[in-house]
């Protein structure tokens, strides 16, 4: 567990270092995250301005409660709404950014693999199909993440554990699914569908958590998300190569080699 957690954190650093060593790849990769940041900043501002009304709407049972209990419950509801909004922002921010920046990030991921050697060619599809596939995969990941987010949101109302254990679990879940989104280019290039990617990461879940959680924490700082996203894609590409053993695409045919010759290290059999 600890080894995989440390390895995941290391891939975060390696991805950022790769971008620092290849600054020519950095500029264009910033644009998708910048566009997504403007959209999400507006959405979070709307949530913040309406959080009180939403808290009152989801806690009608507290209408007749005396002070300070009504205020405490609704204050907790506001905090949980904002926490859920931030959590969903982290998850969907990456998905939307990856859809917007699909051509940029795919080229960046391929450049990382070429620098490491053994870059699969990947399927050749028109741009509209690439964008459609990216959107469908993003919705699938969001749906799977929501299956965790909603129960964790409700458990946040439980005293004590809702304010201690549940936020830690929520961060780990967010980190795992963030990693699932970011490995899409390297694993998709190998013909691995999103459900199989999920299975692969479950087998190395602490590696995925170790990679994703630092990025989740960093992405809570809005400006940081813009500058860290290209390095996150680069680091996820390196992580995906680890998952696959840096091997060729699963469907690739092995290249024919020379015909085996005699083993000159063994003595010739005795003649009768």
């Amino acid at each position: 567990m600890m080894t995989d957690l440390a390895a995941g954190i290391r891939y975060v650093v390696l991805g950022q270092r790769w971008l620092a060593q290849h600054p020519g790849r950095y500029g264009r990769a910033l644009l998708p995250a910048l566009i997504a940041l403007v959209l999400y900043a507006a959405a979070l501002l709307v949530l913040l301005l309406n959080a009180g009304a939403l808290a009152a709407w989801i806690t009608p049972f507290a209408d007749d409660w005396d002070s300070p209990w009504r205020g405490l419950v609704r204050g907790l509801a506001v905090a949980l709404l904002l926490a859920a909004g931030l959590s969903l922002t982290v998850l969907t921010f990456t998905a939307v950014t990856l859809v917007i920046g699909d051509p940029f990030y795919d080229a960046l991921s391929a450049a990382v693999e070429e620098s490491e050697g053994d870059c699969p060619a990947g399927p050749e599809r028109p741009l509209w199909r690439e964008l459609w596939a990216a959107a469908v995969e993003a919705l699938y990941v969001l749906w799977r993440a929501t299956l965790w987010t909603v129960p964790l949101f409700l458990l946040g109302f439980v005293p004590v554990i809702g304010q201690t254990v549940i936020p830690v679990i929520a961060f780990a879940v967010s980190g795992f699914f963030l990693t699932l989104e970011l490995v899409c280019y390297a694993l998709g290039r190998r013909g691995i569908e999103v459900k199989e990617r999920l299975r692969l990461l479950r087998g190395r879940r602490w590696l995925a958590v170790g990679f994703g959680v630092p990025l989740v924490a960093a992405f809570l700082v809005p400006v940081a998300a813009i500058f860290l996203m290209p390095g996150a894609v680069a680091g996820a590409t390196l992580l995906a190569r680890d998952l696959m053993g840096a091997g060729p695409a699963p469907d690739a045919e092995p290249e024919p080699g020379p015909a085996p010759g005699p083993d000159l290290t063994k003595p010739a059999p005795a003649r009768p």
Side-chain angles (χ1 to χ4, degrees):
M1 169 181 151
M2 296 305 297
T3 301
D4 271 354
L5 278 173
I9 296 170
R10 180 170 174 267
Y11 280 121
V12 175
V13 177
L14 289 176
Q16 302 303 325
R17 188 171 73 180
W18 191 95
L19 258 295
Q21 295 170 345
H22 300 80
R25 295 278 177 181
Y26 193 62
R28 287 182 298 174
L30 293 176
L31 184 60
L34 181 60
I35 295 172
L37 179 66
V38 172
L39 296 175
Y40 277 95
L44 285 175
L45 179 60
V46 171
L47 175 62
L48 180 62
L49 293 175
N50 294 278
L54 286 172
W57 180 71
I58 64 175
T59 58
F61 54 85
D63 285 345
D64 299 327
W65 289 11
D66 295 329
S67 181
W69 304 113
R70 180 174 57 193
L72 287 174
V73 167
R74 289 186 171 163
L76 177 61
V78 168
L80 290 172
L81 281 170
L82 294 176
L86 287 172
S87 178
L88 286 175
T89 294
V90 170
L91 290 171
T92 59
F93 177 86
T94 304
V96 171
T97 303
L98 293 178
V99 171
I100 295 172
D102 186 82
F104 302 99
Y105 293 144
D106 187 51
L108 172 60
S109 176
V112 173
E113 297 225 58
E114 287 168 0
S115 71
E116 296 294 314
D118 187 27
C119 177
E124 293 187 3
R125 295 183 293 192
L127 178 60
W128 71 268
R129 287 193 62 186
E130 290 285 350
L131 294 175
W132 174 255
V136 170
E137 290 177 0
L139 288 173
Y140 175 81
V141 174
L142 178 60
W143 171 67
R144 294 303 298 258
T146 302
L147 295 179
W148 283 86
T149 303
V150 171
L152 289 173
F153 172 75
L154 296 175
L155 287 172
F157 286 96
V158 179
V160 183
I161 68 166
Q163 296 76 50
T164 54
V165 178
I166 298 304
V168 174
I169 296 175
F171 254 84
V173 169
S174 297
F176 178 89
F177 282 104
L178 179 59
T179 303
L180 178 61
E181 290 175 314
L182 289 169
V183 298
C184 64
Y185 299 110
L187 295 184
R189 192 174 296 116
R190 290 164 168 78
I192 300 175
E193 299 295 332
V194 64
K195 293 180 181 180
E196 180 63 13
R197 296 172 213 163
L198 180 59
R199 188 192 67 79
L200 283 171
L201 287 180
R202 279 175 175 168
R204 300 283 301 278
R205 60 171 53 90
W206 292 112
L207 177 66
V209 169
F211 180 78
V213 166
L215 291 172
V216 169
F219 286 1
L220 292 177
V221 181
V223 178
I226 299 176
F227 297 102
L228 294 180
M229 181 63 80
V233 173
T237 301
L238 297 171
L239 183 148
R241 289 174 62 86
D242 180 359
L243 285 175
M244 301 304 297
D251 298 330
E253 295 283 341
E255 294 185 4
D263 189 351
L264 301 179
T265 63
K266 296 182 179 179
R271 294 180 182 275

